[in-house]
Amino acid sequence: MSQEFVPDDNFSVSEALEEDRPNDASAVSEQEVVPITVVGSRAAVLETIHTLYRLGFASVGDWSPPQRGAKPGPVISVLIRRHRKA
């Protein structure tokens, strides 16, 4: 399914993961990166993002802009969360 989405010149998940990584090697080893993906119609993706915001999960601006797929219809938006390893 991930092959259906076309990369956008303005955003890619791998670039976002690279940009969010701290430069300190010890900090990286203490953190786990968790990408959260929402896939569906543009309206459903935006509604889900706003619902998660109202629940206190993440700010709307923390999500990537919805990216179109290769086929008409579904879009994808990604949120990168970091957690300290236990």
Side-chain angles (χ1 to χ4, degrees), residues 5-77:
F5 293 94
V6 203
D8 181 28
D9 293 338
N10 298 324
F11 176 81
S12 78
V13 174
S14 59
E15 287 175 5
L17 288 171
E18 289 295 327
E19 290 173 5
D20 283 345
R21 288 192 179 126
N23 292 332
D24 184 356
S26 63
V28 171
S29 66
E30 295 173 8
Q31 293 185 348
E32 181 177 0
V33 175
V34 180
I36 300 156
T37 307
V38 178
V39 180
S41 70
R42 182 174 184 81
V45 167
L46 293 175
E47 180 182 335
T48 301
I49 289 170
H50 285 99
T51 298
L52 291 170
Y53 167 73
R54 285 190 303 274
L55 294 171
F57 184 74
S59 295
V60 173
D62 292 345
W63 293 85
S64 71
Q67 304 295 310
R68 63 181 168 76
K71 298 178 182 178
V75 298
I76 184 171
S77 185

